[in-house]
Amino acid sequence: MSGRDAALGQAPGDTGMIAIAPASGHDVAPIDALLRSSFARAEEADLVRDLCIAGDMVLMLAAHDEGTGTLAGTVAFSRMDVAVAGKPIPAVALAPVAVAPDYRGGNVAEALIHAGIERLEQEGVVLCFVLGEPAFYARFGFDADFARNFTSPYAGDYLMALPLQGGLMPCGVREHAHHAPAFARLSQP
């Protein structure tokens, strides 16, 4: 996918072009169904619901197959409480991301993540955190080194961050990186 395609919010899918846009009210039930079918437990769907109810959802993107209107995938970014050198830093957590089975392997997840990062950077978000597989998220620039030394219950090699705003990491002592309260209800694998 070219940078131009990502800027337009489109990606090639197995059945046609995929359009990426902020999720709407019409997407609520299909997103819930996708999350419930994509993960072994319903916790991710419940997490998205709880983030929305609490007002902690910053951005939810939906990818639709332009030919069929089918929901191909979704990604969520929620508010975090992050501080560096005694100052609050605008930050979000990326979770969850899900792609429908017919669209896996077609770069839909990548297009969703790139589109979300681009939009969040434009909106002034400074850091994006993710808790996930380093081999997958490194392709977007996420790195555990950017998340190190933040106080977090998720601290470790799987907690990664991506500095937005030109890739510049805020200077100063890294204090806390707290996810929205809904994350505390997730069980440990």
Side-chain angles (χ1 to χ4, degrees):
M1 180 176 61
S2 72
R4 180 166 159 55
D5 289 338
L8 295 173
Q10 297 179 334
D14 292 344
T15 61
M17 290 303 290
I18 302 295
I20 297 172
S24 71
H26 299 291
D27 294 317
V28 172
I31 286 172
D32 185 72
L34 174 62
L35 293 172
R36 289 182 189 284
S37 67
S38 295
F39 296 96
R41 298 176 284 191
E43 290 180 315
E44 284 77 7
D46 295 343
L47 171 66
V48 167
R49 181 200 61 222
D50 293 347
L51 289 167
C52 290
I53 290 170
D56 288 326
M57 186 65 72
V58 173
L59 177 63
M60 183 111 197
L61 294 177
H64 290 94
D65 184 312
E66 289 186 322
T68 65
T70 304
L71 178 68
T74 190
V75 66
F77 297 89
S78 58
R79 185 175 341 280
M80 288 186 66
D81 176 19
V82 176
V84 174
K87 298 177 185 166
I89 302 294
V92 296
L94 184 170
V97 60
V99 176
D102 290 347
Y103 298 91
R104 292 182 187 153
N107 296 320
V108 174
E110 289 84 351
L112 281 161
I113 293 168
H114 280 298
I117 289 168
E118 181 178 311
R119 184 173 177 136
L120 293 164
E121 186 167 16
Q122 291 170 358
E123 292 179 5
V125 174
V126 174
L127 289 173
C128 181
F129 287 80
V130 67
L131 184 62
E133 183 56 48
F136 178 77
Y137 289 103
R139 71 183 80 181
F140 306 102
F142 286 94
D143 194 307
D145 286 343
F146 293 130
R148 283 203 212 302
N149 299 322
F150 279 105
T151 302
S152 168
Y154 307 109
D157 292 338
Y158 292 94
L159 179 65
M160 296 163 280
L162 172 66
L164 305 179
Q165 307 308 319
L168 301 174
M169 186 70 186
C171 292
V173 175
R174 297 174 189 179
E175 296 174 11
H176 60 268
H178 297 159
H179 287 68
F183 279 87
R185 292 189 281 282
L186 295 175
S187 65
Q188 297 299 320

